Amino acid sequence: MLKPLGDRVILQAQEEEEQTVGGIVLASNAQEKPQTGKVIAVGDGRVLDNGEKVAPSVKEGDTVLFDKYAGTEVKYNGDSYLVVHEKDLVAIVD
């Protein structure tokens, strides 16, 4: 499995089927990018200027909201993942 470095987090974006008000299902290229994802793996944390390490505030299995255009898409073993910095995460969804 992928192991993120530093303050990076690996997410699996949660795709949702999007429909218009009239009930028309939109093609995947016409839909907005998803902004929620499940945390698959978490790095060790961010290192401050004084050398102190700050632990990440999310853990594996959390569902999070992230910035719309954040991160880098990667494919691994046929699955798509999104690698983002922890600062690009907006909230944890309960």
Side-chain angles (χ1 to χ4, degrees):
M1 186 58 193
L2 298 172
K3 175 71 174 153
L5 301 175
D7 71 333
R8 289 180 175 84
V9 178
I10 297 179
L11 304 173
Q12 191 162 36
Q14 296 178 340
E15 301 287 334
E16 297 175 5
E17 192 174 82
E18 194 171 321
Q19 290 187 353
T20 62
V21 175
I24 298 170
V25 177
L26 296 175
S28 61
N29 58 352
Q31 295 178 6
E32 289 190 20
K33 287 180 67 173
Q35 290 181 267
T36 60
K38 182 178 178 185
V39 176
I40 302 300
V42 181
D44 294 332
R46 183 170 51 105
V47 178
L48 300 176
D49 291 337
N50 64 6
E52 186 179 328
K53 190 176 281 192
V54 178
S57 55
V58 295
K59 61 186 181 308
E60 291 181 23
D62 284 348
T63 300
V64 295
L65 288 173
F66 54 90
D67 287 336
K68 185 176 261 187
Y69 297 105
T72 304
E73 276 191 45
V74 295
K75 287 196 181 261
Y76 182 75
N77 286 344
D79 293 325
S80 287
Y81 298 101
L82 189 65
V83 180
V84 299
H85 286 276
E86 187 180 21
K87 65 180 171 136
D88 295 328
L89 300 178
V90 178
I92 298 173
V93 180
D94 285 334

